Amino acid sequence: MVCCVNSLSATASAVSAVPTTGTVRLPPAPRSLDALGRNHTLEGALAELVDNSIDAGAEHVLMRFVQRNEQLEQLVVIDDGHGMSEGEIDVAMTIGGERDYETAEIGRFGFGLKAASFSQASVLTVMSRRAGGSAVGRRWRLESARKDFVCDVIDTAYAGKALDHDWELPPGSGGTIVRWDQVKGFPLSGSVAETQRFLQDAFARIRTHLGLIYHRLLERGTVNLFLDVEDVDEGLGQRVDVPPIDPFGYPRTGAAHWPKELVIADEGISLAVKCHIWPGRSALDEFRLDGDVLARQGLYVYYNNRLIQRGGWNGLQHNDKQLNLARMSLEIDRDIPEVLSIKPEKNGIETGPRFASLLRAAETADGSSFADYIDAARDALKESNRRDRGRKARLPAGSGFAPRLRRALSAEFPLRDEEPLSIRWAPIGGDDFFAIDRDECVLWLNKRYRTALSGGRAGSLNDLPVVKLLLFLLFEEIFAGQNIGPRDRDNLELWQELLTVAAKAEQ
Ligand SMILES: Nc1ncnc2c1ncn2[C@@H]1O[C@H](COP(=O)(O)OP(=O)(O)OP(=O)(O)O)[C@@H](O)[C@H]1O
Ligand SMILES: [Mg+2]
């Protein structure tokens, strides 16, 4: 569709040419609530609540699952942001409730809280307090809201008590609690195993999603996100944080001279699209993200430093396995008419009629185009495949290695279909630094050197990743071979001698 001033005014005059005889007022029927937030996943819905906490200046946001008798009952999100007054909480609970936004805020539509909550739960309770103000609370029950948009007012003493509860967060000035009851996705059976499975899966998805979309704010420490589970009878479980996952966090570039910036400057539109090339398929979380690598190529859009689009080509290009190393980033702080607009769920942009042509015409400082970028990303993948094919197969890494390191090793070379090589600590009589057990495929390290090597830190199964990686690279051939030849024996003696001297020096 071609959209220009002339065609718009032509449509306007076509509209006024239709005769009318008056107006009727047709407010939305309450059942329109049912359609709200239908596209949200649990992690996407939580992100809407976290967006609001960030807009409220929160530095800490805790997401707590509450269970009783192994049955999950509630999800509670607590923040230490500036909170809301009585007037503000009424606007907050109103669908489309309007207020003035600062340019750096994530909120825009007055929908997120309600749409996200009703997509997941039948009851939404919000309790809040401004610094020095009194506690206020409101509750929407989907059932009664559907009849006449009537919202419950929560007893202020109850709201105050909930806000004063020790949430084990640093003391903040104000704060807000958003609570979901009757959560639709929670398992119904209440069996221990099923609840455990659900929580494990939900934690993993939430950490990946929030770690990715807020990675910049998490890296800078602007906000800190936490997850835990409270069992009403048995107390609190372990709290975990949400670590940042930077989709551009590659160790080295995949192609010389990239990344480059495609610059769009046209009639008041000024945009820069930074074109990155990953250095080959990688097992790093930063590359894998949620595992759907094909969907994660393409355009990443940051809106006020919050990632709102995680890949996709917006019609510029088809998803193509050959382009898995191509990721472009774009920064925006508002809609740009005819070019792009932010989806209300903040899970992507809609591109307008001019987007593709502007990007295809854009150039980098050294004259490269979008088409050159696509070619370079394709070549980088071919080159990395060629390199991988040339590498010799090695044993997989077994126990003693952090999962992340195991994955990284397995991504770098083809694996032999044999017992994995483990590196473990054990008491070994005498001073020898290591002992090898080829039958069990274990390289044993003498426990007496553990404290010295780990600099006094408490040991764990996967400790000392750098040391273990170097030992893996050194010893792998010894374990992989059919027999130990005279040359291997000589090497082993040499390594034993030198490693023992080095380990003693560490002591
Ligand atoms: N945790 C919170 N702390 C302080 N105020 C909040 C919090 N959550 C919601 N609010 C208030 O409620 C309002 C409505 O939130 P809601 O998410 O529904 O819409 P929005 O953030 O304004 O826009 P959008 O639809 O883009 O999310 C917010 O603008 C904010 O004023
Ligand atoms: Mg919002």
Side-chain angles (χ1 to χ4, degrees), residues 48-49 51-52 55 101 106-113 346:
E48 290 272 10
L49 305 193
D51 283 344
N52 291 341
D55 281 348
Y101 296 101
I106 305 169
R108 295 157 49 92
F109 302 104
F111 265 83
L113 168 69
K346 301 179 199 81

Side-chain angles (χ1 to χ4, degrees), residues 48-49 51-53 55-56 79 81-84 88 91-94 97 99 101 105-115 126 128 175-178 344 346:
E48 290 272 10
L49 305 193
D51 283 344
N52 291 341
S53 298
D55 281 348
D79 73 44
H82 59 50
M84 285 174 272
E88 286 167 332
V91 177
M93 292 300 262
T94 305
R99 69 172 172 89
Y101 296 101
E105 284 191 284
I106 305 169
R108 295 157 49 92
F109 302 104
F111 265 83
L113 168 69
K114 287 73 66 177
V126 180
S128 191
T176 299
I177 298 177
V178 176
K346 301 179 199 81

Side-chain angles (χ1 to χ4, degrees), residues 182-201:
Q182 298 171 21
V183 180
K184 296 163 209 168
F186 282 172
L188 289 174
S189 81
S191 86
V192 182
E194 198 180 342
T195 303
Q196 276 312 98
R197 242 193 335 265
F198 173 84
L199 283 171
Q200 213 169 8
D201 176 59

